[in-house]
Amino acid sequence: MGCFLSKSNAQADRLNDIKDNTAPLPQQSLVTDPAEYRPYSDKNGSRDAPATSENAPRYAPAASEIAQSYGFKRYEYKKLAIATNYFSNKCSIGEGGFGIVYKAFLDDDDVAIKKLKIIKLENKLEEIEYLSVVRHPNIVKMIGYCSEGDDRLLVLEFVPNKSLRHHLHDEDKFLEWPKRIKIAINSARGLLYLHEECKPKIIHRDIKADNILLNDNFEPKIADFSLANFLPDTGNINHISSILRGTNIYADPEYGDKQRVSEKSDVYSFGVVLLELITGRELSDEQGNTIVNWARSQIGQALDNDDYTDLVDSKLEDMYNKKEMIRMIYCAAASVYKPSYSRPTMKQIIGVLEGTISHEKIIDRKDIETIQGRPTTSLESLLGIERAQIFSPRMFSFEELAIATQFFSNNCMLRDDNYARVYRGELDGMAVAINKLYLWEGEQMEVEQMVNPINHNYQYLNKLIGYCDEEYDKFIVYEFVPNKSLRFHLHGHKKTIDWSRRKKIAIGCAKGLAYLHEFCTPMVIHGNITSHNILLDNNFEPKISGFELGQVLSNFVARISTKAMENRGPEILKDGKISEKADVFSLGMVLHELISGKPGKATFPWTWLVGYLAPEFLKDGKISEKVDVFSFGVVLLELITGKPSVIREGNFSMNLVAWVAPQLAEAFNTHNYNSIIDVKLQNNCEIIEMIQMIHCAAACVYKPAKTRPKLSQIVEVLQGNMKSESIWIHSDNTYLKDGPQY
């Protein structure tokens, strides 16, 4: 439900002309631009003349002075408590991500009082006075606030006619077309005011049908704009979404972990609102298909065939202006399906909706082709990058690394990976992980050549610092990642990883691999994707590591395959059952012998690696990006099921891929996924997001190598802006009968 509900008071009703009712937020710093307008001083809302070099004030008035001039009041908590019958549920009219809204009678008028939840805002709430001068007929007016101890409340004008969502989706309501186009245009005017006429600009960050409130004349008023101004301006979607839960379908898919928000994020969300106005559909259906995904193909077909029957809300029948409808469709498509850098501005959207500018200014034929099924964002936007950041790794001497690790003391050892012993050290004040590589008998290893492909600086890759390439001593030095591996947190730790972090890890890893496969020139193939090589920082941001084994593993595959055939390795990988003649454990022993040059031991710990190896890799030893895709699919299965790549129960062991296949086939038929979802999640996951990840895992693991998806497609599906059906359709379920084709 909407967070702010309000009603126009007498003063707001007098503000009919947008030009006379918009005002920049006053600057509290030194005024240096002689053309800059002074803040409001007239009670009727008129502006002073532009300041000149002669009459410009040296400093703008303090926020408290400005607030006072507009009657912006600071209330006592007790007074607001009494006005709401001590915050009785009887007075509650809505609840949102920031708090509960109560209707009250205060100062001889109906008001909405928002009691904020305890959340950490970057600025003091008192500074919200600074926004009291925001004046626009399509923006909810702020009347006052309360700040006592831990209690924070906002007093807002009350809008009596509920939200746009109520009128669109309540079965007993019907919103006529003239009202829909009016709401679209005037809501866009409100957003334009926040984006371009407020100084500094205000980015809403939570545009949705719930936050577009309607008065008795169906004039829209945008709510919840103010608190967005006090959230961290870092673009951290995890922080924002933790407050704005349940609104992810409105969220800009390019609004990534490191990307700073902009007004283009609001444009995307407004485009989703336009889709609701056009189609009358809920945000997602019972199958989990979002309105954005559903409308993609419908819009393309409607525009191609000039037939809008299947797209337009059936309640409207033919009672709409076709030209206006087409203009709104183009605005929605340009806002939602174009990459952020080419989305229209709100000013352009208003122009197209009103018919004063052509839709071709914001969307062209090529864009329509994109709507009909091609990726919705550029690779650069999808990955949050502008250009490859390549650097030259530093060459260290053996002595430098020995000193950094206290001469390779066990006190500094982090782990023994059987292909490298990893030590924590410090170089030039930086914490590093120093990988001391084992030498393989009969193998020549040029570390300098090994590190050349991985000298990229990208947020989801474990940053390479340098290397040592001496005759008998080979090292690779990475940035130290403090929170151990995904494998540890999934399979070796009592505490589980919650769903939001699992999804975050999956998307980050997919972006890292997409960067290597699709952005780097030449392409970089990892060759060793496992949950053990996905490291996590303290915020559970994933960092892909372990490149060094991938660079040499393929050298052994021909010999591995020969030994595996003697032990019926391919058969076990096909049916997942282990016996004395088909033993995954024995394949692990072969890997150990070939890599270490030592006889296998009964305690050999590497059998889990077999579960990540693609069937074609075992057959011919040729490594390709599709091998990485397969291995990543196994990691997704681990995130979904909570089970390791090789499952052991007593004397019985089974490949995770083989274990999942029959249960997944049943789940796809019954739409009940409980048998494969990690019991530790205890239903604490978003089922739509879970199904998206399941489809991604299935497409990566069970489809033939040539038809496995690209990692950029996986990112799009996991982020929800591309249909799962684009990578896995119903007929693909046949691949589950026999499992991967070894």
Side-chain angles (χ1 to χ4, degrees):
M1 295 185 66
C3 293
F4 293 103
L5 294 138
S6 55
K7 174 183 177 183
S8 300
N9 59 18
Q11 181 183 6
D13 289 338
R14 291 196 299 269
L15 305 179
N16 296 318
D17 188 336
I18 293 176
K19 182 177 180 181
D20 292 334
N21 292 293
T22 56
L25 292 176
Q27 302 290 335
Q28 291 179 290
S29 57
L30 180 67
V31 177
T32 57
D33 184 356
E36 186 177 331
Y37 284 91
R38 295 175 181 174
Y40 280 103
S41 61
D42 182 44
K43 290 183 179 179
N44 293 323
S46 62
R47 289 184 183 153
D48 289 343
T52 65
S53 57
E54 289 81 12
N55 63 14
R58 181 171 177 78
Y59 290 96
S64 58
E65 296 175 12
I66 298 160
Q68 187 176 4
S69 70
Y70 283 91
F72 192 64
K73 298 179 64 176
R74 180 166 184 161
Y75 291 90
E76 293 182 357
Y77 180 81
K78 183 177 180 180
K79 183 172 184 177
L80 301 186
I82 293 172
T84 58
N85 197 16
Y86 298 99
F87 305 106
S88 168
N89 288 341
K90 185 177 180 180
C91 298
S92 173
I93 53 176
E95 182 173 1
F98 286 109
I100 302 174
V101 185
Y102 300 88
K103 182 179 178 181
F105 191 76
L106 195 66
D107 298 335
D108 300 322
D109 202 357
D110 288 332
V111 296
I113 296 176
K114 184 165 198 108
K115 192 174 189 292
L116 299 180
K117 298 176 182 177
I118 298 177
I119 56 176
K120 185 177 181 181
L121 300 177
E122 285 216 333
N123 301 317
K124 296 177 182 179
L125 187 61
E126 287 80 353
E127 294 176 13
I128 213 162
E129 291 179 340
Y130 193 55
L131 299 176
S132 64
V133 297
V134 173
R135 289 290 187 275
H136 192 279
N138 301 116
I139 301 291
V140 169
K141 179 189 173 186
M142 298 181 62
I143 297 170
Y145 73 99
C146 170
S147 177
E148 293 183 12
D150 289 333
D151 294 310
R152 303 289 187 270
L153 299 94
L154 301 178
V155 182
L156 311 150
E157 56 179 339
F158 174 72
V159 177
N161 203 11
K162 299 189 176 180
S163 68
L164 173 59
R165 177 174 176 78
H166 171 77
H167 287 276
L168 275 178
H169 302 309
D170 190 301
E171 293 182 0
D172 298 328
K173 299 293 182 181
F174 171 62
L175 198 60
E176 299 91 345
W177 177 252
K179 291 177 181 175
R180 298 192 194 205
I181 189 69
K182 172 184 176 180
I183 291 167
I185 292 173
N186 289 342
S187 297
R189 285 175 174 159
L191 271 178
L192 175 64
Y193 170 75
L194 294 177
H195 289 177
E196 298 189 18
E197 298 187 49
C198 289
K199 306 294 182 183
K201 74 174 65 174
I202 296 175
I203 299 170
H204 191 290
R205 307 193 195 195
D206 195 23
I207 291 295
K208 55 182 177 178
D210 289 303
N211 283 338
I212 296 176
L213 309 179
L214 305 172
N215 68 13
D216 289 330
N217 296 320
F218 285 86
E219 189 68 35
K221 286 179 175 286
I222 295 174
D224 255 7
F225 76 92
S226 54
L227 288 177
N229 195 55
F230 291 85
L231 292 171
D233 191 22
T234 60
N236 190 320
I237 194 168
N238 299 300
H239 177 88
I240 303 302
S241 61
S242 68
I243 297 173
L244 308 177
R245 288 186 179 93
T247 61
N248 58 319
I249 294 174
Y250 292 102
D252 182 356
E254 295 186 30
Y255 182 12
D257 289 345
K258 301 297 182 184
Q259 181 182 353
R260 295 174 67 86
V261 293
S262 73
E263 60 271 24
K264 298 297 188 179
S265 299
D266 283 351
V267 170
Y268 179 93
S269 303
F270 184 72
V272 178
V273 173
L274 292 181
L275 289 179
E276 291 181 90
L277 287 166
I278 293 164
T279 68
R281 289 175 64 93
E282 292 278 2
L283 291 175
S284 62
D285 58 26
E286 294 179 356
Q287 288 72 43
N289 194 18
T290 69
I291 189 173
V292 174
N293 287 335
W294 176 85
R296 183 196 306 277
S297 58
Q298 296 291 340
I299 285 177
Q301 293 172 13
L303 294 175
D304 276 349
N305 303 325
D306 195 31
D307 182 357
Y308 305 92
T309 306
D310 294 333
L311 176 65
V312 172
D313 189 350
S314 59
K315 289 182 181 179
L316 288 171
E317 297 179 345
D318 292 326
M319 297 181 293
Y320 62 87
N321 182 305
K322 186 176 179 180
K323 289 183 179 180
E324 291 177 344
M325 177 65 78
I326 292 173
R327 294 201 295 263
M328 190 182 291
I329 290 170
Y330 278 119
C331 287
S335 300
V336 170
Y337 300 113
K338 295 183 74 173
S340 61
Y341 63 83
S342 60
R343 287 176 198 152
T345 63
M346 295 310 303
K347 189 171 186 178
Q348 290 174 312
I349 289 173
I350 292 169
V352 174
L353 288 174
E354 292 182 327
T356 58
I357 66 173
S358 169
H359 69 80
E360 293 179 352
K361 296 288 186 180
I362 63 172
I363 192 166
D364 57 25
R365 184 65 202 175
K366 184 178 179 181
D367 297 318
I368 300 302
E369 292 176 359
T370 299
I371 293 170
Q372 291 173 311
R374 298 181 184 179
T376 60
T377 58
S378 67
L379 184 62
E380 291 83 355
S381 296
L382 187 68
L383 302 182
I385 51 178
E386 296 180 0
R387 61 184 182 277
Q389 296 184 15
I390 302 174
F391 63 95
S392 299
R394 176 180 168 184
M395 180 181 287
F396 294 98
S397 68
F398 176 81
E399 183 179 4
E400 286 179 291
L401 302 185
I403 293 172
T405 59
Q406 299 178 27
F407 302 98
F408 308 109
S409 167
N410 287 343
N411 293 327
C412 298
M413 192 172 76
L414 297 172
R415 61 186 182 274
D416 189 339
D417 285 342
N418 282 71
Y419 64 90
R421 186 166 290 173
V422 185
Y423 297 86
R424 179 172 180 172
E426 187 171 304
L427 292 167
D428 300 328
M430 176 188 295
V432 295
I434 299 173
N435 292 244
K436 184 178 183 182
L437 305 180
Y438 291 131
L439 289 178
W440 294 282
E441 186 177 350
E443 295 292 336
Q444 295 295 321
M445 192 193 323
E446 297 294 335
V447 177
E448 184 175 5
Q449 296 178 8
M450 190 185 300
V451 300
N452 281 337
I454 58 174
N455 58 344
H456 289 259
N457 187 11
Y458 181 53
Q459 66 188 86
Y460 298 115
L461 303 180
N462 193 189
K463 183 178 179 181
L464 176 70
I465 304 299
Y467 64 96
C468 172
D469 193 6
E470 298 186 5
E471 184 177 1
Y472 297 106
D473 297 295
K474 312 288 184 180
F475 297 83
I476 296 180
V477 182
Y478 289 108
E479 184 178 24
F480 175 69
V481 182
N483 202 13
K484 299 190 177 181
S485 69
L486 175 60
R487 183 166 181 254
F488 170 81
H489 285 278
L490 279 178
H491 313 310
H493 198 267
K494 292 181 180 179
K495 292 183 179 180
T496 190
I497 307 177
D498 63 30
W499 173 248
S500 63
R501 283 175 172 169
R502 295 190 195 205
K503 180 184 174 184
K504 173 182 178 179
I505 291 165
I507 292 174
C509 292
K511 286 184 176 181
L513 285 172
Y515 177 89
L516 295 174
H517 290 180
E518 302 171 47
F519 190 79
C520 292
T521 304
M523 174 192 299
V524 178
I525 299 169
H526 187 285
N528 186 30
I529 293 297
T530 69
S531 59
H532 184 67
N533 286 329
I534 295 171
L535 306 181
L536 305 173
D537 67 15
N538 289 327
N539 294 318
F540 283 82
E541 292 282 354
K543 307 281 186 181
I544 297 174
S545 189
F547 293 85
E548 59 273 9
L549 180 60
Q551 299 296 316
V552 298
L553 186 59
S554 60
N555 296 338
F556 302 107
V557 170
R559 290 148 66 184
I560 291 173
S561 298
T562 301
K563 288 285 186 179
M565 285 302 295
E566 294 174 2
N567 292 285
R568 302 298 188 267
E571 284 82 347
I572 172 282
L573 289 170
K574 184 172 183 179
D575 60 26
K577 297 178 181 179
I578 297 180
S579 68
E580 67 279 5
K581 291 188 177 182
D583 197 345
V584 160
F585 187 79
S586 65
L587 179 56
M589 299 280 282
V590 173
L591 278 169
H592 177 263
E593 290 181 64
L594 291 170
I595 293 175
S596 68
K598 301 176 182 178
K601 297 180 181 179
T603 57
F604 172 63
W606 264 41
T607 53
W608 54 266
L609 178 61
V610 178
Y612 297 99
L613 301 180
E616 69 275 10
F617 179 73
L618 286 172
K619 280 184 178 180
D620 57 26
K622 294 180 180 178
I623 197 166
S624 71
E625 74 276 14
K626 299 299 185 182
V627 172
D628 281 351
V629 174
F630 180 94
S631 301
F632 180 70
V634 179
V635 172
L636 291 180
L637 290 180
E638 291 182 86
L639 289 166
I640 293 163
T641 67
K643 297 183 181 295
S645 60
V646 174
I647 304 168
R648 292 189 179 85
E649 296 180 2
N651 294 325
F652 178 79
S653 298
M654 178 174 278
N655 188 321
L656 177 60
V657 173
W659 180 85
V660 168
Q663 300 190 67
L664 186 54
E666 179 69 15
F668 282 153
N669 287 331
T670 62
H671 303 291
N672 185 339
Y673 300 88
N674 290 336
S675 64
I676 60 173
I677 295 176
D678 189 353
V679 294
K680 292 181 181 178
L681 291 174
Q682 297 178 340
N683 298 321
N684 292 324
C685 65
E686 294 290 339
I687 189 61
I688 294 174
E689 296 174 350
M690 175 64 78
I691 292 172
Q692 289 169 343
M693 190 178 292
I694 288 171
H695 280 131
C696 288
C700 291
V701 169
Y702 298 109
K703 294 180 78 169
K706 290 183 179 180
T707 59
R708 289 175 199 151
K710 293 181 178 180
L711 267 303
S712 59
Q713 292 176 292
I714 296 296
V715 174
E716 294 251 42
V717 173
L718 288 175
Q719 292 188 153
N721 62 315
M722 200 164 136
K723 286 184 177 182
S724 297
E725 290 83 353
S726 63
I727 59 172
W728 184 272
I729 58 177
H730 188 269
S731 61
D732 291 331
N733 292 354
T734 56
Y735 293 127
L736 298 172
K737 292 181 180 179
D738 299 321
Q741 301 303 300
Y742 287 95

